[in-house]
Amino acid sequence: MLPFLKIMLRNLLLGPSTDPFPFAPAKTHKNFRGCAEHDPEKCILCGICRHVCAAGAIQIHPSEDGSGMQYLLWHNSCVFCGMCAHYCPTGALTMSDNWHLAHSGAEMFSNCISDFIPFGACAQCGAKIQPRPQTIIDTLGARSPDRFLLCPQCKRQGIVQNVAQARPTRRQENP
Amino acid sequence: MLQLLCKLASRSPWIYRINAGSCNGCDVEMATTALIPRYDVERLGCKYCGSPRHADVVLISGPLTLRVRDKVLRVYNEIPHPKVTVAVGVCPVSGGCFRDGYSVGADIDHYIPLDVIVPGCPPRPQAIMEGILKAVEVWRARLEESVCCHS
């Protein structure tokens, strides 16, 4: 008898099913992929993010004075696939859970990440090399941290000197 | 009288959707925004309408493919002034992952001025609602402007 009473009572107890979003903050899952975030302190300018970006949202230009690179990520082209964050070797790129990205049409091109990343300097000759933040020294440069801070030319010279010391040439052996 | 009308009218914008060659992801999210009780854009006074002649706020999705370009522009021109355009997803703005494709004409903003942009691929329904609320503000300002011009 009166089966709808049961349904009515249940619905009354369950409360509204509508998300009160514009008047209260919406629930966001902790794994939600929102806009990308870039930490210029950790970036080593390897460019793998630009390489894997499906939408071509990332650009890396040399800056005008030549002292570094300009890193650009346009949110209006990013498709939130998260490949850049997956492949980033230092964790400089992360996907935040921020989805409040609606903006007016006038801000179309300013809605981007624009970071200046200065080059690093070779520990020996001072030549420009990719930046060497501590995170990448701890991972890739763990085997020989001193050598990791050198430019390719200084590295080669160091290798040649080591080899020359270990194996003297025939002329030196038999003068 | 007109000012009272525009105050009342801006509480219930009618929304029209244009699919400019979208992959349907954004369309599904737009339908979700209106139809599913969890999001329910109709409690904000918005209503999806079937005819472009009744529309106030236009939601455009998709990268404007060459095949639908002229049709989209025809439909867009039928919408009465003042109208507010909301780009849903990244495709109308930049083309997203379809950019530089052989069938993608150009960015929509070469043809249609975009007033509000909701980036995402697709944006979540709450983000679309946020964009619609922004568009309603723009629309209210335009209504008041046009009323002032007429009187």
Side-chain angles (χ1 to χ4, degrees):
Chain A
M1 188 183 147
L2 295 176
F4 70 89
L5 274 179
K6 199 173 142 195
I7 300 170
M8 203 173 81
L9 204 67
R10 198 181 63 201
N11 284 352
L12 276 173
L13 288 176
L14 279 175
S17 60
T18 308
D19 195 14
F21 161 60
F23 313 108
K27 198 178 157 194
T28 310
H29 194 263
K30 65 175 172 20
N31 288 344
F32 184 81
R33 278 204 307 270
C35 74
E37 276 180 354
H38 183 243
D39 183 2
E41 300 288 315
K42 288 185 187 168
C43 184
I44 57 164
L45 292 173
C46 60
I48 191 74
C49 48
R50 182 183 56 180
H51 180 72
V52 297
C53 183
I58 299 174
Q59 290 181 347
I60 303 175
H61 297 299
S63 66
E64 282 175 10
D65 56 349
S67 63
M69 296 288 242
Q70 196 69 31
Y71 186 95
L72 280 171
L73 193 155
W74 192 23
H75 291 310
N76 280 346
S77 188
C78 171
V79 294
F80 306 137
C81 60
M83 293 297 269
C84 50
H86 178 75
Y87 281 103
C88 184
T90 56
L93 265 172
T94 45
M95 304 302 281
S96 67
D97 60 355
N98 176 21
W99 48 269
H100 299 275
L101 290 168
H103 56 278
S104 67
E107 300 161 17
M108 187 192 291
F109 296 111
S110 58
N111 183 33
C112 66
I113 294 173
S114 177
D115 283 331
F116 174 73
I117 301 158
F119 286 124
C122 170
Q124 200 167 319
C125 67
K128 281 177 200 159
I129 53 169
Q130 285 181 328
R132 296 276 187 255
Q134 194 59 44
T135 43
I136 196 74
I137 295 175
D138 292 342
T139 52
L140 279 184
R143 280 173 64 198
S144 51
D146 300 337
R147 235 183 111 228
F148 192 65
L149 297 173
L150 300 179
C151 67
Q153 204 174 353
C154 290
K155 265 185 211 167
R156 257 178 254 141
Q157 282 174 0
I159 291 171
V160 168
Q161 279 166 8
N162 286 347
V163 170
Q165 281 169 8
R167 289 193 312 185
T169 54
R170 201 169 288 167
R171 192 184 293 166
Q172 283 169 336
E173 281 173 358
N174 309 316
Chain B
M1 181 67 192
L2 269 176
Q3 284 195 343
L4 180 74
L5 262 182
C6 91
K7 206 179 253 177
L8 293 176
S10 62
R11 291 172 60 116
S12 69
W14 282 28
I15 302 173
Y16 184 68
R17 291 186 287 152
I18 299 180
N19 180 340
S22 138
C23 68
N24 259 1
C26 294
D27 291 298
V28 169
E29 295 295 316
M30 284 193 281
T32 307
T33 314
L35 300 178
I36 290 188
R38 187 164 170 192
Y39 306 117
D40 195 17
V41 81
E42 294 190 0
R43 84 201 132 106
L44 306 172
C46 307
K47 184 177 180 300
Y48 279 89
C49 62
S51 163
R53 283 159 209 259
H54 302 158
D56 305 311
V57 173
V58 202
L59 305 182
I60 297 186
S61 60
L64 198 66
T65 52
L66 290 175
R67 248 188 123 84
V68 297
R69 188 177 59 195
D70 294 339
K71 284 149 195 152
V72 163
L73 292 179
R74 204 176 102 198
V75 169
Y76 182 76
N77 288 334
E78 282 183 9
I79 300 165
H81 199 74
K83 53 199 166 193
V84 179
T85 324
V86 182
V88 176
V90 294
C91 290
V93 188
S94 63
C97 41
F98 303 111
R99 185 163 57 203
D100 303 335
Y102 68 95
S103 60
V104 176
D107 301 344
I108 278 191
D109 62 310
H110 292 183
Y111 300 94
I112 296 171
L114 299 176
D115 297 309
V116 177
I117 296 166
V118 187
C121 189
R124 67 184 302 203
Q126 285 102 331
I128 296 179
M129 265 156 65
E130 217 173 33
I132 289 174
L133 288 177
K134 255 192 188 128
V136 170
E137 276 168 31
V138 175
W139 186 53
R140 183 177 297 144
R142 280 197 193 158
L143 269 179
E144 280 163 10
E145 202 177 293
S146 60
V147 165
C148 292
C149 293
H150 281 300
S151 57

